[in-house]
Amino acid sequence: QKEVEQDPGPLSVPEGAIVSLNCTYSNSAFQYFMWYRQYSRKGPELLMYTYSSGNKEDGRFTAQVDKSSKYISLFIRDSQPSDSATYLCAMSEYGGSQGNLIFGKGTKLSVKP
Amino acid sequence: NAGVTQTPKFQVLKTGQSMTLQCAQDMNHEYMSWYRQDPGMGLRLIHYSVGAGITDQGEVPNGYNVSRSTTEDFPLRLLSAAPSQTSVYFCASSYTAGPVGGDTQYFGPGTRLTVL
């Protein structure tokens, strides 16, 4: 079983919809959880970062971590066509090195006008 | 700031050829890394560096070499290209330990490599 599982989609929603993107993981030692957004033919960019369990909100984006269920989510409210991208979750046990990041495969999202 | 730059953008190689993918950053970042991204596989770490003169292996290091002689540059060398190395390669950098603590990890635009 891969350490991080993420449904690749594609996911297609109408503009204004609430989008829910999810990842599950098997390593209970993961403490640091991130979401990256990647536009087509571009490099990923960090969208949200969360440490341990709980919620974090930034504008239309909310990241949730449930360590007891080994499940993380990214919610996008009032989705826009400009949100169309691939969303990658990533997680890490340790805070001290980039070498520990484990990425999901990414979910491709399309927001239709 | 130019951020993280990668050259070339595209490259086609024949099996057995060698080449170097260039990566440079002008943000004075200590941490730099190389990933490959394949369909259905996500991003996988090849090598990373925590500072000039220090490198370490990631998840998929075989067939690749790196060195870090300056803070700014982190080239990735393919020793003898194989079709299995056909991929998109991303370089990334951050000031401290990546996104932990809120620091942002910046990715370059990628190099699309095809090995025939």
Side-chain angles (χ1 to χ4, degrees):
Chain A
Q1 182 188 5
K2 195 165 167 50
E3 281 194 290
V4 177
E5 299 282 355
Q6 184 176 11
D7 187 337
L11 181 62
S12 182
V13 301
E15 183 175 355
I18 296 174
V19 175
S20 172
L21 304 167
N22 312 294
C23 288
T24 59
Y25 61 94
S26 56
N27 186 350
S28 58
F30 285 145
Q31 299 186 78
Y32 302 90
F33 304 93
M34 287 132 276
W35 286 96
Y36 287 82
R37 178 175 61 196
Q38 185 176 21
Y39 291 114
S40 181
R41 295 186 174 264
K42 300 288 186 185
E45 55 180 333
L46 182 66
L47 198 58
M48 298 283 284
Y49 149 75
T50 311
Y51 170 69
S52 193
S53 284
N55 293 359
K56 187 172 185 178
E57 190 172 317
D58 184 2
R60 297 184 294 109
F61 298 89
T62 300
Q64 284 186 354
V65 175
D66 182 349
K67 289 189 71 179
S68 62
S69 302
K70 299 192 183 69
Y71 189 88
I72 69 170
S73 300
L74 177 71
F75 297 96
I76 307 174
R77 291 183 298 280
D78 188 24
S79 56
Q80 303 294 310
S82 59
D83 295 326
S84 298
T86 296
Y87 290 80
L88 302 157
C89 64
M91 43 200 80
S92 171
E93 289 183 46
Y94 309 109
S97 168
Q98 287 190 86
N100 306 115
L101 272 183
I102 307 295
F103 282 85
K105 295 178 183 179
T107 299
K108 188 170 184 179
L109 171 67
S110 178
V111 181
K112 304 293 187 185
Chain B
N1 285 349
V4 179
T5 57
Q6 290 183 240
T7 55
K9 286 189 170 57
F10 303 93
Q11 183 70 49
V12 178
L13 291 178
K14 293 181 180 177
T15 296
Q17 287 184 316
S18 62
M19 78 159 294
T20 299
L21 278 62
Q22 301 291 345
C23 174
Q25 51 89 10
D26 61 358
M27 298 174 281
N28 201 30
H29 286 171
E30 290 295 326
Y31 288 77
M32 297 186 74
S33 52
W34 276 101
Y35 293 87
R36 60 178 289 174
Q37 188 173 37
D38 303 293
M41 297 294 291
L43 277 162
R44 292 182 292 169
L45 183 68
I46 304 171
H47 285 286
Y48 66 101
S49 169
V50 299
I54 306 169
T55 64
D56 206 347
Q57 296 181 351
E59 182 184 354
V60 288
N62 292 343
Y64 307 95
N65 270 359
V66 292
S67 60
R68 184 101 179 266
S69 56
T70 67
T71 299
E72 295 77 20
D73 300 297
F74 190 42
L76 177 73
R77 296 182 191 84
L78 277 70
L79 308 172
S80 177
S84 61
Q85 293 178 304
T86 293
S87 187
V88 182
Y89 291 85
F90 289 102
C91 179
S93 76
S94 60
Y95 184 65
T96 56
V100 176
D103 186 26
T104 298
Q105 188 180 35
Y106 295 88
F107 280 81
T111 293
R112 294 181 175 273
L113 176 68
T114 300
V115 183
L116 303 175

